[in-house]
């Protein structure tokens, strides 16, 4: 691809048009030598449609392990023998303390994530509602949650207590989903997204790179998110966990990861796209490039079963790029 063609695709997006799948496949197939220019063009799109703030979010693993689902990448699946912690739902005060720590570190939003297929209506779900309501009212943070396959009644209850987003990753392209999980389907994932949106919740949904999918399937995932109307996209990179079927997956080369980030920006020009789990392991010294390849969000403070950078390191990275953490809108 010559520079003129890349510029034409960039101008197309900047003027409000969509690139096609074939054009996106051209971009994701660019050689390494051309990748820095692709990243720069993606960041021009980010600058045009958003601003220079970086949306920082934090999560807590509110209920860990013993998950009946068999997602082949997951340390918390009961189907595999890993060293992941196993515990029931954390108490309110523990989760609220974590939210306060996240806000002090620079997070604009906080999410409670639970292992398992779902959280049934009853004491557990009620406790989560209470905690989320207190976090919004007392800590003044935007609240999100990821509770699996929720019902419309549950989604409405979440909306009514002020939850702004429901998180439900599609994980990968529809064509590749059967290779990563057989206990639920891509249709189940899409159904949860539709339920959350029907209740008036915005949806945060993305996936994991490095599961064995092809570059073409990464493009497919991005266009699927676009078709689902998703405007908040977390992009994780597989951090292989010993004991899972994907423990020996080969790591992606950093430039390949960054090229994928950039192509997501071309496909989803107005979305909040954040780099999340696995960035420290896979991008290493190139983590700052994620925020110069079109991304405008960062998950901070660690992940469900693995740690992350010290928050001070991430904040210094944001500062060094001349950007600022976004403020909570509560």
């Amino acid at each position: 691809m010559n520079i003129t063609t890349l510029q034409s695709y960039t101008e197309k997006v900047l003027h409000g048009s969509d690139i096609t799948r074939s054009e996106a496949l051209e971009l994701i197939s660019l050689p390494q030598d051309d990748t820095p220019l692709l990243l720069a063009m993606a960041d021009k799109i980010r600058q045009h449609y958003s601003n220079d703030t970086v949306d920082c979010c934090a999560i807590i693993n509110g209920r860990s392990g013993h998950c009946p689902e068999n997602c082949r990448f997951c340390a918390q699946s009961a189907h595999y023998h890993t060293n992941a912690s196993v515990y029931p739902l954390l108490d309110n005060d523990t989760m609220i303390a974590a939210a306060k720590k996240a806000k002090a570190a620079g997070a604009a939003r906080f999410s409670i994530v639970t292992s398992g297929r779902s959280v049934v209506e009853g004491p557990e779900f009620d406790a989560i509602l209470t905690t989320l309501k207190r976090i919004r009212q007392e800590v003044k943070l935007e609240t999100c949650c990821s509770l699996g396959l929720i019902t419309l009644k549950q989604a409405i209850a979440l909306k009514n207590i002020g939850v702004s987003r429901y998180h439900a990753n599609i994980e990968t392209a529809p064509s590749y989903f059967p290779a990563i999980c057989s206990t639920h389907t891509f249709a189940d994932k899409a159904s949860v997204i539709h339920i959350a949106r029907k209740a008036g919740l915005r949806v945060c949904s993305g996936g994991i790179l490095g599961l064995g999918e092809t570059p073409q399937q990464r493009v497919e995932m991005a266009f699927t998110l676009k078709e689902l109307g998703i405007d908040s996209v977390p992009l994780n990179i597989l951090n292989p966990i010993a004991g899972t079927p994907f423990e020996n997956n080969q790591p992606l080369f950093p430039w390949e990861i960054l090229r994928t980030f950039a192509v997501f920006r071309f496909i989803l020009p107005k979305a909040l796209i954040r780099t999340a789990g696995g960035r420290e392991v896979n991008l290493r010294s190139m983590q700052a490039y994620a925020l110069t390849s079109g991304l405008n969000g960062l998950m901070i403070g660690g992940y469900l079963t693995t740690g992350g950078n010290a928050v001070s390191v991430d904040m210094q990275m944001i500062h060094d790029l001349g950007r600022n953490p976004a403020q909570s809108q509560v």
Side-chain angles (χ1 to χ4, degrees):
M1 176 184 291
N2 59 43
I3 293 175
T4 302
T5 302
L6 177 55
Q7 288 177 324
S8 71
Y9 292 171
T10 305
E11 290 296 326
K12 183 178 183 180
V13 177
L14 290 174
H15 286 90
S17 297
D18 296 329
I19 64 168
T20 66
R21 291 199 184 213
S22 61
E23 289 167 344
L25 288 172
E26 286 183 69
L27 295 177
I28 208 167
S29 302
L30 284 174
Q32 180 178 319
D33 288 350
D34 292 337
T35 296
L37 184 56
L38 172 66
L39 306 191
M41 294 298 100
D43 210 49
K44 283 294 182 186
I45 295 170
R46 189 269 305 168
Q47 293 168 24
H48 180 77
Y49 286 107
S50 66
N51 53 42
D52 279 336
T53 62
V54 178
D55 189 280
C56 297
C57 72
I59 63 174
I60 188 170
N61 192 354
R63 184 183 69 188
S64 182
H66 279 322
C67 181
E69 307 303 298
N70 67 352
C71 302
R72 294 168 66 82
F73 54 82
C74 186
Q76 298 189 78
S77 173
H79 294 258
Y80 317 126
H81 299 290
T82 70
N83 292 321
S85 298
V86 177
Y87 52 80
L89 186 70
L90 297 173
D91 62 87
N92 290 351
D93 289 341
T94 298
M95 290 194 277
I96 291 168
K100 290 178 178 178
K101 182 179 179 181
K103 182 175 183 179
R109 62 186 76 246
F110 185 80
S111 180
I112 295 174
V113 184
T114 56
S115 67
R117 185 177 179 86
S118 61
V119 174
V120 297
E121 292 182 38
E124 261 196 342
F125 184 66
D126 292 341
I128 291 170
L129 290 177
T130 298
T131 303
L132 289 166
K133 187 175 182 179
R134 284 185 61 191
I135 290 170
R136 184 174 176 84
Q137 293 178 345
E138 298 173 22
V139 187
K140 305 299 183 185
L141 273 178
E142 294 180 60
T143 52
C144 314
C145 58
S146 181
L147 312 177
L149 305 181
I150 57 169
T151 65
L152 180 58
K153 181 180 177 182
Q154 287 177 310
I156 292 171
L158 292 169
K159 173 67 175 177
N160 287 342
I161 57 107
V163 169
S164 57
R165 294 185 187 274
Y166 191 75
H167 176 255
N169 276 350
I170 62 171
E171 309 299 6
T172 190
S175 67
Y176 192 63
F177 194 89
I180 70 164
C181 182
S182 63
T183 51
H184 61 270
T185 65
F186 184 86
D188 292 327
K189 292 281 191 179
S191 176
V192 171
I193 290 171
H194 291 309
I195 286 170
R197 296 188 71 188
K198 186 174 182 180
L201 293 166
R202 298 174 74 180
V203 176
C204 178
S205 182
I208 308 173
L209 308 177
L211 299 178
E213 77 288 346
T214 64
Q216 292 81 3
Q217 286 168 325
R218 293 173 202 150
V219 169
E220 180 190 345
M221 176 169 70
F223 273 99
T224 300
L225 292 168
K226 188 178 186 73
E227 290 158 6
L228 288 168
I230 304 301
D231 65 356
S232 177
V233 180
L235 293 176
N236 303 277
I237 312 143
L238 181 68
N239 183 359
I241 303 297
T244 65
F246 286 170
E247 66 176 312
N248 294 317
N249 277 34
Q250 291 299 305
L252 300 180
F253 192 58
W255 285 119
E256 182 178 2
I257 296 166
L258 295 167
R259 191 161 53 248
T260 302
F261 287 173
V263 172
F264 266 72
R265 175 55 67 199
F266 271 82
I267 297 169
L268 297 156
K270 300 178 182 179
L272 169 57
I273 309 178
R274 76 178 72 248
T275 176
R279 63 182 168 90
E280 297 87 352
V281 172
N282 289 278
L283 289 176
R284 299 178 292 281
S285 63
M286 297 177 71
Q287 289 176 65
Y289 280 81
L291 295 176
T292 60
S293 63
L295 272 57
N296 54 350
L298 202 64
M299 186 175 287
I300 61 173
Y303 311 104
L304 292 177
T305 62
T306 58
N309 286 340
V311 175
S312 60
V313 172
D314 284 336
M315 291 299 151
Q316 186 66 56
M317 176 173 68
I318 292 170
H319 175 76
D320 289 345
L321 290 169
R323 296 168 69 177
N324 295 296
Q327 299 299 306
S328 179
Q329 298 302 304
V330 175

